[in-house]
């Protein structure tokens, strides 16, 4: 596997066509796919995460192949990515994720709900008056942590309630395929400390991602040794 840092060339920030290409999450998705577009039939084999650095985007990707830029717009730095992991290892992490709950309706059909809206709907159903609701930040923290803790059981890590911050809740709706289909995504930013419980499963999570919406910049967990 490879870890890549993808940044704009110094002279590309003034390219108007580039800034038009970043109109929404779907356009960013298409932009990143273009760096891995060696075969139109290829399935996605990479994860990516976007950060803003001094107002400019920096992308990080984990992939089976090194990304290639045919347009000369990007600086791409890649290296082999094989993290050394062991049981009880402490790591700092950051993650942008699409935390959801899946529920079945009366007909047995599955429906996805983001965990924050699901919690708000439960409060409504329970008849709790708005004035007694927790703040949105409190709901994001509580529901986000619970979701991440469950994912940890699945993916070989554990987290402590007071060692994780969940914030930056965002909702986005955009259209793909020339406006014929719309996508709704809710994201939460996680940062904190984790403990590795199963190195093999955790490595798979680092390579394959956590949660849904991976095609749209979610699921890539960035880890490093904690600064203690």
């Amino acid at each position: 596997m490879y870890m890549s840092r993808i940044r704009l060339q110094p002279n590309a920030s003034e390219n108007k066509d580039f800034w038009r290409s970043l109109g929404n999450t779907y356009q960013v998705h298409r932009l990143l796919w273009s760096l891995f577009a060696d075969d139109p039939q290829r399935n996605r084999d990479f994860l990516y995460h976007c950060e803003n650095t001094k107002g400019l985007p920096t992308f990080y990707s984990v992939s089976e192949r090194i990304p290639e830029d045919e347009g000369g717009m990007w600086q791409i730095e890649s290296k082999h990515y094989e993290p050394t992991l062991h049981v009880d290892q402490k790591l700092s992490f950051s993650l942008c994720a699409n935390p959801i709950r899946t529920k079945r309706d009366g007909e047995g059909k599955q429906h996805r709900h983001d965990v924050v809206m699901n919690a708000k709907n439960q409060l409504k159903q329970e008849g709790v008056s708005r004035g007694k609701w927790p703040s949105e930040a409190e709901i994001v923290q509580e529901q986000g942590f619970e979701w991440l803790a469950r994912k940890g059981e699945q993916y070989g890590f554990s987290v402590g309630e007071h060692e994780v911050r969940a914030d930056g809740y965002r909702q986005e709706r955009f259209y793909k395929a020339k406006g014929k289909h719309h996508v709704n995504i809710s994201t939460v930013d996680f940062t904190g400390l984790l403990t590795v419980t199963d190195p093999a499963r955790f490595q798979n999570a680092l390579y394959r991602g956590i949660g849904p919406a991976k095609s749209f910049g979610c699921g890539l967990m960035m880890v490093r040794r904690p600064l203690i």
Side-chain angles (χ1 to χ4, degrees):
M1 299 295 284
Y2 296 93
M3 170 74 78
S4 301
R5 182 171 65 177
I6 304 167
R7 296 180 293 176
L8 279 172
Q9 295 281 7
N11 62 348
S13 62
E14 298 179 2
N15 186 316
K16 294 181 181 179
D17 290 335
F18 167 78
W19 293 113
R20 280 196 290 268
S21 73
L22 291 184
N24 62 35
T25 296
Y26 180 65
Q27 290 169 324
V28 173
H29 150 92
R30 292 185 62 188
L31 180 69
L32 264 292
W33 270 80
S34 71
L35 302 179
F36 295 91
D38 63 330
D39 183 343
Q41 302 303 316
R42 184 186 287 275
N43 293 324
R44 180 186 55 79
D45 57 359
F46 65 94
L47 303 168
Y48 74 90
H49 172 67
C50 179
E51 294 183 358
N52 285 321
T53 305
K54 297 181 180 179
L56 296 175
T58 297
F59 296 97
Y60 294 91
S61 71
V62 169
S63 59
E64 297 181 5
R65 299 167 291 131
I66 294 176
E68 297 182 0
D69 175 29
E70 296 183 358
M73 187 172 290
W74 298 98
Q75 294 176 323
I76 300 175
E77 303 165 85
S78 300
K79 62 182 180 180
H80 283 284
Y81 183 48
E82 294 185 43
T84 301
L85 304 169
H86 58 81
V87 174
D88 292 333
Q89 182 178 13
K90 292 280 189 180
L91 293 170
S92 299
F93 75 91
S94 62
L95 169 70
C96 177
N98 171 221
I100 63 166
R101 287 182 179 272
T102 301
K103 292 185 175 182
R104 294 186 182 275
D105 61 21
E107 299 178 353
K109 295 181 180 179
Q110 287 190 339
H111 299 274
R112 290 180 169 186
H113 306 272
D114 87 65
V115 296
V116 176
M117 291 305 300
N118 183 70
K120 290 180 178 180
N121 288 334
Q122 284 188 321
L123 289 169
K124 289 180 182 178
Q125 292 171 6
E126 293 168 3
V128 179
S129 64
R130 286 267 183 171
K132 294 183 179 180
W133 284 20
S135 68
E136 181 167 283
E138 291 173 321
I139 294 174
V140 172
Q141 176 65 33
E142 179 182 0
Q143 297 300 319
F145 172 78
E146 289 182 3
W147 178 86
L148 187 64
R150 291 195 303 272
K151 290 298 178 184
E153 294 174 0
Q154 179 182 352
Y155 289 115
F157 66 92
S158 64
V159 287
E161 187 171 359
H162 301 294
E163 294 182 320
V164 172
R165 180 175 178 176
D167 59 10
Y169 175 67
R170 300 177 297 280
Q171 293 179 305
E172 186 172 0
R173 178 187 177 98
F174 53 88
Y175 287 86
K176 53 187 291 189
K178 297 182 180 180
K180 295 180 180 179
H181 306 286
H182 72 265
V183 177
N184 295 311
I185 292 180
S186 299
T187 58
V188 173
D189 296 324
F190 297 90
T191 54
L193 290 172
L194 62 77
T195 302
V196 178
T197 58
D198 186 319
R201 281 192 290 150
F202 185 58
Q203 183 184 68
N204 187 61
L206 295 179
Y207 288 170
R208 305 302 174 194
I210 296 173
K214 298 181 184 72
S215 292
F216 301 108
C218 296
L220 174 55
M221 179 176 275
M222 309 284 290
V223 296
R224 65 179 181 181
R225 294 185 179 88
L227 302 175
I228 297 177

